[in-house]
Each structure stands twice: as structure tokens, then as C-alpha cells.
Amino acid sequence: MTQSPDLIIGIDGGGTSCRAALLFAGRRVEMRGGPANAMRFDEAMGTIAGLLSGLATQAGLPPGALAAARAHVGLAGVMTPDMAARVAAALPMRDVTVTDDQPTTIAGALGAQTGAVAAIGTGSFVGRQSDTGIRVLGGWGLPIGDQASGARLGRRLLEEVMLAIDGLRPHSGLTRAVLADHGGTGAGIVFFSATATAADFATLAPRVVAAAEAGDAVAAALMAEGAGYIAACLTALGHAAGESLCLMGGVGPAYARWLPPGMASGLRAPQGSALDGALILARAEGCP
Amino acid sequence: MTQSPDLIIGIDGGGTSCRAALLFAGRRVEMRGGPANAMRFDEAMGTIAGLLSGLATQAGLPPGALAAARAHVGLAGVMTPDMAARVAAALPMRDVTVTDDQPTTIAGALGAQTGAVAAIGTGSFVGRQSDTGIRVLGGWGLPIGDQASGARLGRRLLEEVMLAIDGLRPHSGLTRAVLADHGGTGAGIVFFSATATAADFATLAPRVVAAAEAGDAVAAALMAEGAGYIAACLTALGHAAGESLCLMGGVGPAYARWLPPGMASGLRAPQGSALDGALILARAEGCP
């Protein structure tokens, strides 16, 4: 390898903002910029170009110096190898790997440790890092996946309300309360659900979490469903009892009490951010 | 009752077209017009006004004569009692009942018999007619209901494909074929599902039906899920073993082999259409 081992770049980009960090000569400089979702390619590459220029200036390096860095770029919207290759080809760094933001989230949470991450917000994915690398399950979106997500909890709750209206399942305090909030008839819920986005359904997730903790039978069953999916993913990924497990995102920590005890025994706080993860992956991928 | 018992009107309206029939003096005249979905109120009432005028002309009656008829109007989009009252108030007939198109479908299929209907196309509902009237379950739409529908079969199939990609469930011939059709990666299916309508998901239903009949394990499990929902509805509605059961819609008849034998033993072809059902309900509702 001919490039300098002294320049390491990590980038974590999403639909709202993008963060970039440069490690050099024992120092770390960092910047934040606008959106960088790979599905809006030109905007993303413009944001990243601006951040790279800013990092070089902060570090007192000539603009072309970053081409010799090792870099890892984790961008939301990188869904295929083709997309990753397209992003890589548009970057000045010659030694760069590109993924979506799942591996960077996992590497940041776990540092160098073997362990797993369940990232559960509006959407959901479950991943594990070991000495053979990072593997991720899920993250396919509400219509056909994200089985533990806030959006799925909300959608399943409304399905249970309608089944209770039809007398096919029992009502609970939560299903009655949600029905009352929509005017007391199924029609209100049908109107809501016909146009609801994943984010709209996810607004119901905090009520499912709170009701489940208070003993509501329907809510508890939904949390158990989601936890069952997380546990199935962890088992498929080879997660061992007691091994590190980080529950992340707005809903993730709420699943702690619904997981099997062996899995829950490994629970710990994430070590760092997805930007930290991008730096870790940049360094690791530069190693022989 | 002061109105003439000799004029009976039935109307069956939906998003594509509307049919109306008039019974008088032992004759039946019938017309078809444009769309009449109650969610597009003015268009629907315009269509119906035109049909009523045409029926009066065909029958050789003065335009105002139909105000004395007994009528039942079954329109798609009538989701609340308020909506039904608004439609009724806009009609010239003084003795009119308004529902969505579910009761008319059921009454038309069963005539005067006790029995049940499972209407399964893109959406789904299950209903039963007995001497105490008609009761309907389901029909809440894909996001939170329609558990036996073609749309749900398609959405569940894609969910199974993604679970198989992740190693959480076994692949089958059908899941492999669907994956190959979308370019061999999950990304193609995610792109499709992110914007797919109920009708888009339902395009996959014939493949589920055919694969299940050929012994595909995943497809068979999905048909069994749908049939389980239909059976639960029938039980909740009080359907007795051997009692008449009509499977209607593009997908309905495919469930015959997946239903419990006691339920399947009552299978028979529908007696008539939703327009026939509207006439039956108009007459029945006029009875003391």
C-alpha cells in the first residue's frame, strides 16, 4: 500500500444531515453539513465534497491531500453494490469503502467488541459484529419488513383494534382508548390508515410501549411479537447468551424487558456513534 | 304505509359503474351508468339521478312517480351512518335505505337463504345473512385488515421472501422465483413495496394460489393463513357446518380447498348479483 497510513476519514450521512471526521497525526477534526442520502445522489456528493474541503482546511492540509486517506462512508440509501460503487467512484479518496448506515451504526456502538445491535426506531434492523465482520438482518421497510419497528407496532395495534371491533380478538384498555381517539368507529381508523406513512404509524408506538409496561394484554402481545423477531434475528446471527447487545433508536431500549433473559444479560450502552463507526471501519479496512 | 307497494328500486354503485333496477307491476327494467362511489358524492348522486330518470322513462312513469318507491341503495364508500344519511337525504325516494355494497352482495348471493359470503378480491370481507339480518366482518383495507385478500397474500409473500433472504424462514420455489423476478436482490422488492398499492400487491395473488395448489410450502402456508381468517370470521358470525357459503371475487373460490371440511361442505354458487341483492333488501325493508 502506497497511501499514507496517517489519514483516516469517516463519513456518516442521512436524509437530514451528514457528519465527517478526519484522524491525522493523533488529532481528530470533525464537521457537520447538510443532507447526504445516496438516493439524492448529487445533493449527497455536494455535501460530502464541502465537508472534505472543510476538514482539509481545519487540518491545514492542501486540498488534494485527502485523496491518499483511507475512508469509510456510511450513507442512508446505499441499497445495492452498484450504488456503493457509484458513490465510491465520485469520491476523491482512492481507498474508500461505502455502505449504508447500518454497519457504521454497529461498529460505532460496539467499538472493537464482538456483539450485536438492535436499532429500532420508525424502522428496524438487527446486526452483529464478530471477528468475521458485520452482518445485518432486516431494515426492509414497513410494508414487508421492520417487524420490531415503531411503525409495525403502530400498524399491528390498529389491526388489533379492527379485529376487536369485529369480535375476533379481545379488546384491551389500549384498543378501546385508540378507538375512542378516532371517533369511536372503525371508519376513523380506516381513514387514518389508508394514507398513513411509516412515521404516522410509529406515532402510536410510545402508547404500545407504555401500555405494555402497565400490563395491557394486547400491547404486551405486540411487544412480545417484536421481541420474538429480534431474538430470532440474534439467534440467526450467532449471538451468544451474555454477549454484548445494544438496543438503540427511539423504541429499542423498550424491548429490554421483553427479550429472553440470556440475551438481555448482555445489554449495555453503545460506545459511540455511527461516525465513530465509520472511522473504525476505515481503519480496519485499511489493515492487511 | 301510504306509498305504493308496487314500485321497488335497487341500486348497486361502485367506483367504475352503477346499476339500477326497478320492479313494477310484475316487470323489471334495468340500466347501467357511470361511477357512483359515495366518497365522490356529487358524481355519485348525478349518476343515480340519471339512472332514476331513465328507469322512469323505460317504465312509462311520470318523473315524480319514483318518490313513492321503496328503495335500497348499496354504494361503495358508504362507511358511516352519517354518510348513509347524507346519500338518503339527496335521493327522491322517501322510503330508502343506504348501505355500502357489502349487504347487497350478500343478499344477492344468498337470496332469501340463511348463509354466508366470503368476498375476496383485492380486498376482503366476510358476512352472514340469517333471519336476524346481515352482519359483515372485515373490509377495513390492506394496511390494517383484509386478512384473506389478494393484496394481503401478495404483501405476505414479499415479507416471506425477505425473511428467507435473511435466513429467518425457509425459501420455497415461489419465494426464489419472485426474488429472481425482482433482480435477485432484496433491493428490487424494497423498491416495489415502498410505493405498491393494494392492487399492486394483489397482482401476486394468482401466483400464490397456483403455487399453493402445486404444493409450494410457503404459498400453502399463506393460503392456510387466509383460510384461517375466513374460518374465524364464519365462526364469529355463527355460520353452522353445512350452511350455505359463497366464495366470491377473483380470489375467493381459490380458498375452497383450504377451508375446514364442515365449512366447505356448504359451498355453492351465488344466486345473483349485488343489484339483485339491493332489490331483495328494498323489498324486505318495506315489509312490516
Side-chain angles (χ1 to χ4, degrees):
Chain A
M1 308 290 267
T2 58
Q3 83 262 347
S4 160
D6 292 324
L7 295 174
I8 302 288
I9 293 172
I11 296 179
D12 168 46
T16 307
S17 67
C18 183
R19 294 168 69 203
L22 169 66
L23 303 184
F24 70 106
R27 290 177 56 200
R28 171 172 171 158
V29 295
E30 198 176 315
M31 286 189 70
R32 180 185 292 268
N37 183 307
M39 303 286 277
R40 294 192 300 276
F41 186 80
D42 293 340
E43 176 186 70
M45 300 319 296
T47 297
I48 292 171
L51 290 171
L52 291 174
S53 168
L55 290 178
T57 302
Q58 277 194 62
L61 296 170
L66 300 192
R70 291 174 192 151
H72 186 99
V73 178
L75 295 190
V78 172
M79 291 197 44
T80 62
D82 282 356
M83 180 69 91
R86 188 173 170 219
V87 171
L91 291 167
M93 295 81 78
R94 289 185 299 270
D95 186 11
V96 60
T97 47
V98 177
T99 61
D100 67 11
D101 51 349
Q102 296 174 346
T104 49
T105 299
I106 294 166
L110 297 169
Q113 283 194 334
T114 288
V117 166
I120 321 282
T122 299
S124 72
F125 70 84
V126 182
R128 180 168 180 263
Q129 173 173 267
S130 69
D131 50 14
T132 60
I134 289 172
R135 195 174 152 222
V136 179
L137 304 183
W140 304 115
L142 173 64
I144 58 169
D146 289 8
Q147 281 86 347
S149 69
R152 185 65 82 110
L153 287 175
R155 194 177 77 177
R156 283 285 293 113
L157 172 60
L158 296 185
E159 184 170 359
E160 288 296 320
V161 173
M162 307 319 279
L163 290 167
I165 289 173
D166 278 347
L168 298 172
R169 300 271 181 88
H171 261 301
S172 72
L174 179 60
T175 61
R176 284 198 188 86
V178 167
L179 181 57
D181 291 347
H182 286 84
T185 72
I189 296 176
V190 170
F191 286 131
F192 171 81
S193 69
T195 59
T197 63
D200 293 332
F201 283 116
T203 61
L204 290 160
R207 297 179 69 178
V208 176
V209 168
E213 288 175 4
D216 184 276
V218 170
L222 298 184
M223 294 303 293
E225 272 180 28
Y229 171 78
I230 295 169
C233 288
L234 291 171
T235 299
L237 291 167
H239 185 262
E243 188 181 285
S244 288
L245 172 62
C246 299
L247 298 177
M248 304 176 72
V251 180
Y255 277 111
R257 68 166 67 191
W258 304 97
L259 289 171
M263 289 175 177
S265 69
L267 285 172
R268 60 209 62 192
Q271 293 184 19
S273 68
L275 180 60
D276 299 323
L279 290 168
I280 290 166
L281 292 175
R283 200 174 347 226
E285 287 150 2
C287 293
Chain B
M1 308 289 268
T2 58
Q3 84 262 347
S4 161
D6 292 326
L7 295 174
I8 302 288
I9 293 172
I11 296 180
D12 168 46
T16 306
S17 67
C18 183
R19 293 168 70 203
L22 170 67
L23 303 185
F24 69 106
R27 290 178 54 202
R28 170 172 172 157
V29 296
E30 196 176 315
M31 286 189 71
R32 181 185 291 270
N37 182 308
M39 303 287 277
R40 296 192 296 278
F41 187 81
D42 293 339
E43 176 185 69
M45 300 320 296
T47 295
I48 292 170
L51 289 170
L52 291 174
S53 167
L55 289 178
T57 302
Q58 276 194 62
L61 296 170
L66 301 192
R70 290 174 192 151
H72 186 99
V73 178
L75 295 190
V78 172
M79 291 196 45
T80 62
D82 282 356
M83 180 70 90
R86 188 174 170 216
V87 171
L91 291 167
M93 294 82 78
R94 289 186 298 271
D95 186 11
V96 59
T97 46
V98 178
T99 61
D100 66 12
D101 51 348
Q102 296 173 346
T104 50
T105 299
I106 293 164
L110 297 170
Q113 283 194 335
T114 287
V117 166
I120 322 282
T122 298
S124 71
F125 68 85
V126 182
R128 180 168 179 262
Q129 173 172 268
S130 70
D131 50 15
T132 60
I134 289 172
R135 193 173 154 222
V136 179
L137 305 183
W140 305 116
L142 173 64
I144 57 169
D146 288 9
Q147 281 87 346
S149 69
R152 185 66 83 111
L153 287 174
R155 195 177 78 177
R156 282 285 294 116
L157 172 60
L158 296 184
E159 183 170 2
E160 288 295 320
V161 173
M162 308 319 279
L163 290 167
I165 289 174
D166 279 346
L168 298 172
R169 300 271 181 88
H171 260 301
S172 72
L174 179 60
T175 60
R176 284 197 189 87
V178 168
L179 181 56
D181 291 347
H182 285 85
T185 72
I189 296 176
V190 170
F191 286 131
F192 171 82
S193 69
T195 59
T197 63
D200 293 333
F201 282 117
T203 61
L204 291 159
R207 296 180 69 179
V208 176
V209 168
E213 287 175 5
D216 185 276
V218 170
L222 298 184
M223 293 303 293
E225 273 180 25
Y229 171 78
I230 295 169
C233 288
L234 291 172
T235 300
L237 290 167
H239 185 260
E243 187 182 285
S244 289
L245 172 62
C246 299
L247 298 177
M248 303 176 72
V251 180
Y255 277 110
R257 66 167 68 194
W258 304 98
L259 289 171
M263 287 174 177
S265 69
L267 284 173
R268 59 209 62 191
Q271 293 184 20
S273 68
L275 180 60
D276 298 322
L279 289 168
I280 290 166
L281 293 176
R283 198 170 353 222
E285 286 150 3
C287 292

